[in-house]
Amino acid sequence: MASPDLLFNLRNLFYLGAYQAAINNSDVPGLDADAAAERDAIVFRSYIALGSYQLVISEIDSSAATSLQAVKLLALYLTGDKEGAISSLKEWLSDSAIGSNPVLRLIAGIVFMHEQDYNEALKHTHSGGTLDLHALNVQIFIKMHRSDYAEKQLKIMQQIDEDHTLTQLANAWLGIAVGGSKIREAYLIFQDFAEKYPMTGMVLNGKAVCCMHMGSFEEAETLLLEALNKDAKDPETLANLIVCNLHLGKPSSRYLRWCDVLGVGGPQ
């Protein structure tokens, strides 16, 4: 009989963007050393998602596990030390002792995706091995406008665990990218998340984007304003509100100002 997955709830909170809830619910008893390291990586990645880069940098010391060192490199990269972080990443990835670490490869994929160097990102993520890596591959291929390759990655994820939150999310991302009848399917995935889990900005934005694709701009605006109430500085929410307001014939100057302050520059 399989042992219970003690980190199931924590992972789901992180995947759906409930970062503060993940941090608050991270005290999980009965974890072995590997599970504890995974828990710590999720917690520190949640702090990064909330913008607390310095906390992560100061908390993870040189004796920490490879996976945590990799998360620290992501924090360093996002503080602006891009050259140093990328140099360390490349050095570690070429080290046969730790180069195959799945979290290190995942962070490499995230960093090089930020750099828009998608081929370099795929060099480290394409072989997969974890649902997190396959999900990142889906995102990278969507960025490259290669929905055919993204679909192949999704099929691998569905073979591993069709009901997994990441598999469902990847299905929704691809549905939005492909468009057409797939938009409705993506909307229903986000709706299912909304009914099962605490409502997050990520889920609200997902539903809103689907609504905009389906021409339901009033519903999209309602969802996005709810997301804005949760985080008034979320770049994705602001960018989507600008697009939504353009279609509704409403002014967007307030959201554009915030985008300028945050360095987002409106819709990507």
Side-chain angles (χ1 to χ4, degrees), residues 205-217:
N205 271 280
K207 283 181 71 178
V209 169
C210 293
C211 286
M212 286 194 282
H213 277 282
M214 295 187 289
S216 301
F217 293 100

Side-chain angles (χ1 to χ4, degrees), residues 41-210:
I42 292 169
V43 170
F44 285 124
R45 287 181 67 197
S46 296
Y47 276 118
I48 287 173
L50 293 172
S52 299
Y53 310 136
Q54 290 300 335
L55 181 147
V56 174
I57 292 165
S58 62
E59 288 285 322
I60 299 174
D61 63 30
S62 57
S63 66
T66 300
S67 58
L68 298 184
Q69 297 288 349
V71 172
K72 182 175 182 176
L73 281 185
L74 177 59
L76 285 165
Y77 173 84
L78 292 170
T79 58
D81 184 13
K82 294 185 177 185
E83 204 173 300
I86 290 171
S87 174
S88 295
L89 260 180
K90 288 183 173 178
E91 184 185 333
W92 296 359
L93 288 161
S94 64
D95 184 335
S96 59
I98 60 171
S100 62
N101 181 283
V103 177
L104 178 61
R105 288 164 52 218
L106 182 74
I107 297 302
I110 292 169
V111 165
F112 289 117
M113 191 167 80
H114 269 282
E115 290 287 300
Q116 297 183 353
D117 189 346
Y118 303 127
N119 289 325
E120 184 66 27
L122 287 167
K123 190 192 296 184
H124 309 295
T125 63
H126 78 280
S127 60
T130 68
L131 281 169
D132 292 78
L133 283 162
H134 288 298
L136 186 60
N137 286 338
V138 170
Q139 289 181 301
I140 294 167
F141 284 128
I142 289 171
K143 292 270 190 191
M144 296 173 76
H145 306 289
R146 291 307 304 259
S147 56
D148 51 339
Y149 285 126
E151 190 163 357
K152 287 177 183 175
Q153 289 293 316
L154 176 60
K155 283 180 177 170
I156 294 169
M157 295 176 75
Q158 288 170 331
Q159 287 166 2
I160 297 168
D161 187 347
E162 191 168 12
D163 296 324
H164 194 283
T165 297
L166 271 182
T167 307
Q168 292 296 312
L169 273 174
N171 198 357
W173 298 332
L174 184 57
I176 291 169
V178 171
S181 60
K182 294 285 186 183
I183 295 290
R184 181 71 187 165
E185 193 179 324
Y187 177 87
L188 293 173
I189 290 170
F190 287 118
Q191 180 61 32
D192 188 50
F193 285 142
E195 290 168 3
K196 286 182 181 174
Y197 300 103
M199 189 69 87
T200 65
M202 181 193 292
V203 173
L204 287 163
N205 271 280
K207 283 181 71 178
V209 169
C210 293

Side-chain angles (χ1 to χ4, degrees), residues 193-263:
F193 285 142
E195 290 168 3
K196 286 182 181 174
Y197 300 103
M199 189 69 87
T200 65
M202 181 193 292
V203 173
L204 287 163
N205 271 280
K207 283 181 71 178
V209 169
C210 293
C211 286
M212 286 194 282
H213 277 282
M214 295 187 289
S216 301
F217 293 100
E218 289 84 0
E219 184 183 347
E221 184 188 30
T222 302
L223 292 163
L224 291 168
L225 289 173
E226 188 180 340
L228 198 68
N229 280 333
K230 291 180 179 296
D231 183 357
K233 299 177 185 178
D234 179 59
E236 188 181 359
T237 303
L238 291 165
N240 286 331
L241 268 168
I242 291 165
V243 174
C244 190
N245 278 10
L246 285 171
H247 283 276
L248 291 170
K250 294 184 176 182
S252 299
S253 54
R254 170 188 163 201
Y255 309 126
L256 282 163
R257 276 198 302 273
W258 263 116
C259 283
D260 287 341
V261 168
L262 296 167

